[in-house]
Amino acid sequence: MVDEVTLRAILDSLPEEIVLVGPDHVIRYMNRFAKERYAKEGGEALVGRSIFDCHNERSCALIREAWARLVAGEDETLMSE
């Protein structure tokens, strides 16, 4: 099993924004690129907040749709602008 430090290093090295959200809709992790991309919205301070607090109504609806697909059995969901 990969330890947390190694996993964070791998995720931080990827050239895409990665945001991991728990089943309670709370942001659990943001990689380095995500923190930089969302710096104006709070960056690292977004970790621990609800994903719905960070988005407008249209985006919240898209997030809820993606969540429904995951609950229905999809393994992962890529959301992009």
Side-chain angles (χ1 to χ4, degrees):
M1 178 160 222
V2 177
D3 63 82
E4 184 177 337
V5 172
T6 302
L7 180 58
R8 286 179 183 271
I10 291 168
L11 293 174
D12 280 341
S13 73
L14 298 174
E16 298 288 333
E17 298 97 9
I18 297 174
V19 178
L20 302 178
V21 180
D24 55 358
H25 310 294
V26 172
I27 298 169
R28 298 293 178 204
Y29 173 81
M30 297 172 73
N31 74 344
R32 179 172 51 98
F33 289 95
K35 291 173 188 173
E36 291 171 7
R37 163 69 172 83
Y38 300 112
K40 289 183 181 179
E41 290 81 9
E44 189 165 357
L46 297 172
V47 175
R49 292 184 53 200
S50 171
I51 192 76
F52 297 118
D53 292 342
C54 309
H55 292 86
N56 61 37
E57 287 294 321
R58 180 180 174 279
S59 296
C60 287
L62 293 172
I63 293 167
R64 285 185 181 93
E65 289 173 19
W67 180 253
R69 291 194 312 269
L70 289 169
V71 169
E74 281 189 29
D75 290 334
E76 60 185 50
T77 298
L78 173 65
M79 297 183 72
S80 60
E81 296 178 75

